[in-house]
Amino acid sequence: MAYIKQIRKVFLIMIPFIVALLLILLAFQSVIVIQPSTSRAINEAGLQRTRCQLIAKDVLVLKYRTNSTEKAQAINELQTLLPNFEREQAVISSYPMLQVQVLSTASRADYNAIDVAARTILVNHATTIDSTQIDIILAHNNMYLITINQIVTSLQQFTEDEEHQLFYIETGIVILILLLVLVLSWNIRSVANKIQSEIDMLEQAVKSREG
């Protein structure tokens, strides 16, 4: 009975602990599955970079091309791009990572200059294309692209660091679970050996009496 109580005590201590570790491991796995916010932010920042390049392309068309069809297409594209350009800037500015917020603040002046100039062009395009507004967009475009590239790089680095941390934590939990299973197995085997030893001793005692 003492050995059975010993095994039961080991099970009562070890099994809940192993189950808890397994649940923690599953929770860390779910972090990767259900939290794609950083990856989405990288994709969206990349799209913002593309939008900025398209805005620059469109204003260059307005400044240097004489074909009215090309100019009309550039105006239509600007009308489509700007709402998304403005929406995404707000999303980037609200991202909780400190480095992204710092870079977003640094990009605000260039973003505002591009956005206001593009809006001015759209409002007045039916009468005249203001070359000054086009020059403003072109002047701020490169600096804005540099800052957006830095945001993308920061987010990618953050994602890599986060994945490494999760990997180390998960590896540690798996190793701990394996160690606990080994300890549990060793205790069971130890008790089983003691029981077998007592059985052998009893058998020897019975044989001795019979002899």
Side-chain angles (χ1 to χ4, degrees):
M1 284 294 293
Y3 293 135
I4 295 175
K5 287 182 179 180
Q6 183 179 346
I7 293 176
R8 185 181 299 170
K9 185 178 179 181
V10 170
F11 266 89
L12 289 175
I13 294 173
M14 304 285 278
I15 295 301
F17 195 41
I18 291 173
V19 171
L21 287 173
L22 286 171
L23 291 174
I24 292 172
L25 184 62
L26 289 173
F28 277 109
Q29 289 290 332
S30 70
V31 169
I32 300 174
V33 174
I34 67 174
Q35 284 193 320
S37 58
T38 305
S39 297
R40 182 179 178 183
I42 292 171
N43 293 334
E44 291 294 333
L47 288 174
Q48 188 74 342
R49 180 172 52 195
T50 302
R51 293 185 191 107
C52 185
Q53 291 169 331
L54 289 173
I55 289 171
K57 181 208 75 173
D58 289 335
V59 298
L60 285 171
V61 168
L62 294 174
K63 184 172 183 177
Y64 293 111
R65 296 297 176 88
T66 57
N67 188 294
S68 59
T69 301
E70 289 182 333
K71 287 191 174 185
Q73 289 175 347
I75 290 295
N76 288 334
E77 190 168 57
L78 282 174
Q79 289 172 334
T80 302
L81 285 170
L82 280 178
N84 293 327
F85 184 67
E86 293 162 350
R87 175 189 57 80
E88 191 54 42
Q89 183 67 21
V91 172
I92 292 173
S93 299
S94 64
Y95 192 78
M97 183 178 166
L98 178 60
Q99 182 66 15
V100 172
Q101 291 181 350
V102 170
L103 290 169
S104 176
T105 301
S107 74
R108 193 168 298 158
D110 294 309
Y111 160 78
N112 287 336
I114 293 169
D115 187 57
V116 170
R119 284 291 177 189
T120 302
I121 289 171
L122 286 179
V123 169
N124 301 312
H125 76 274
T127 55
T128 182
I129 301 296
D130 190 343
S131 295
T132 301
Q133 302 303 323
I134 292 175
D135 291 339
I136 289 173
I137 291 173
L138 297 176
H140 289 272
N141 181 68
N142 286 338
M143 284 305 301
Y144 184 76
L145 282 175
I146 289 171
T147 308
I148 292 296
N149 284 332
Q150 291 174 337
I151 288 174
V152 171
T153 300
S154 297
L155 288 169
Q156 289 172 337
Q157 185 62 51
F158 175 77
T159 301
E160 290 176 7
D161 293 344
E162 193 176 53
E163 288 175 352
H164 288 157
Q165 290 173 1
L166 286 173
F167 171 77
Y168 294 140
I169 292 171
E170 289 172 1
T171 302
I173 292 173
V174 169
I175 292 172
L176 185 56
I177 290 173
L178 290 175
L179 288 174
L180 289 173
V181 170
L182 288 173
V183 170
L184 185 60
S185 300
W186 180 84
N187 274 276
I188 293 172
R189 189 167 184 175
S190 176
V191 170
N193 288 336
K194 288 178 180 178
I195 293 173
Q196 186 62 47
S197 295
E198 290 194 1
I199 291 172
D200 292 341
M201 290 174 64
L202 286 171
E203 289 178 348
Q204 288 292 333
V206 170
K207 288 180 180 179
S208 296
R209 288 177 183 179
E210 289 177 349

